[in-house]
Amino acid sequence: MISSVVYSSQTGVHASLAETVEKHCRSEWKQPIREHTRQAFEGFRAVLGDSALNGFILDTGCGTGQSTVQLAKQFPHSLVVGIDQSGERLGRGIVSIAQKNELLKQPVVMGNCVLLRAEVADFWRLLKINKLTPEKIFIFYPNPWPKSAHLLRRWHAHPVFPTLMGFGVPIELRSNWRIYLQEFALAVEIITANQPQLELMKREELAGAFCTPFEKKYYASGHSLWRLQTDKQSLSPRT
Ligand SMILES: C[S@@+](CC[C@H](N)C(=O)[O-])C[C@H]1O[C@@H](n2cnc3c(N)ncnc32)[C@H](O)[C@@H]1O
């Protein structure tokens, strides 16, 4: 299926981005954490507690979890946790029907790979509250929210962004909308002492080695696909 390129009235970084990020840094986000994600978090803690692995890696908004399975092979000494709020999408084509039903209630564990249904912003906050830090965070093809008015729904302009940056760990983000990554890079620079790297992924490297179903679909539709990587981050004195 051909997918159309992201359309936005924005031709560059949103004019209110810097002000928005700075505002989030000054004020604590107080929205109550939702109960279903608390329960999912307890399930995650039980799996983590039983694991003899070194640490954990997050695949944020993992969709079906295809990328989580791949990352688990790539990082065999870590628990790789795929999180998505969509019970319909999570585990599709990856787990059995019985496990898919189980996913609605608790994490499904396959070796060092875990799939978990939860809301990610709340999950990040619970990690922080419980002083648990992932080794690395992947965010593959987040919903772009390209309407200017939806700026606050993009991860880098969301009130949870300072929490995400507070982990201080490397992040890899991919998108078919370059402006999303340019904005994310600017938001990282505002909060940390870090300048992320932004690159166009080479089509010949991607071909046949798709990380996620969305990557495959966008590639087949001829989109340019971008990757942004941050190093370990330290918070800047401004925050
Ligand atoms: C465009 S899809 C990309 C899925 C997958 N990463 C891929 O590339 O195939 C975005 C995914 O993020 C999930 N998502 C969006 N907001 C979320 C949130 N707040 N918490 C958990 N998952 C979320 C959606 O359910 C969806 O599966």
Side-chain angles (χ1 to χ4, degrees), residues 61-74:
C62 67
T64 60
Q66 184 182 305
S67 48
T68 319
V69 172
Q70 273 188 37
L71 290 169
K73 288 186 190 141
Q74 202 180 321

Side-chain angles (χ1 to χ4, degrees), residues 59-64 67 83-86 89 118-121 139-144 155 212-215 218:
D59 182 5
T60 295
C62 67
T64 60
S67 48
I83 305 173
D84 204 285
Q85 66 190 4
S86 164
R89 188 173 284 155
E119 199 286 319
V120 159
I139 311 177
F140 295 130
Y141 305 94
N143 293 331
W155 285 130
T212 77
F214 275 81
E215 187 162 87
Y218 294 149

Side-chain angles (χ1 to χ4, degrees), residues 35 103 157 221:
E35 193 46 39
L103 260 175
S221 307

Side-chain angles (χ1 to χ4, degrees), residues 1 91 152 188 192 237:
M1 193 172 63
L152 267 66
V188 170
T192 73

Side-chain angles (χ1 to χ4, degrees), residues 23 34 70 80 102 109 143-144 155 177 183 215 233 237:
K23 194 178 99 206
R34 283 148 278 208
Q70 273 188 37
V80 181
E102 199 183 322
V109 185
N143 293 331
W155 285 130
W177 191 34
E183 288 187 349
E215 187 162 87
Q233 306 134 29

Side-chain angles (χ1 to χ4, degrees), residues 1-7 61 63 66 89 139-146 173-178 180-181 200-203 206-208 210-227:
M1 193 172 63
I2 297 299
S3 151
S4 34
V5 289
V6 176
Y7 171 77
Q66 184 182 305
R89 188 173 284 155
I139 311 177
F140 295 130
Y141 305 94
N143 293 331
W145 297 109
L173 173 66
R174 298 188 188 184
S175 178
N176 61 339
W177 191 34
R178 188 170 184 221
Y180 193 100
L181 298 194
L200 177 67
M201 289 189 283
K202 295 195 178 80
R203 280 186 76 79
L206 278 165
F210 304 111
C211 186
T212 77
F214 275 81
E215 187 162 87
K216 187 175 181 187
K217 180 170 75 173
Y218 294 149
Y219 175 93
S221 307
H223 298 188
S224 299
L225 302 180
W226 301 88
R227 171 167 50 206

Side-chain angles (χ1 to χ4, degrees), residues 24 27-32 34 119 121-122 125 158-161 163:
H24 292 329
S27 54
E28 195 190 336
W29 185 35
K30 295 209 174 100
Q31 181 178 293
R34 283 148 278 208
E119 199 286 319
D122 282 352
R125 285 197 289 166
H158 190 285
V160 81
F161 192 65
T163 304

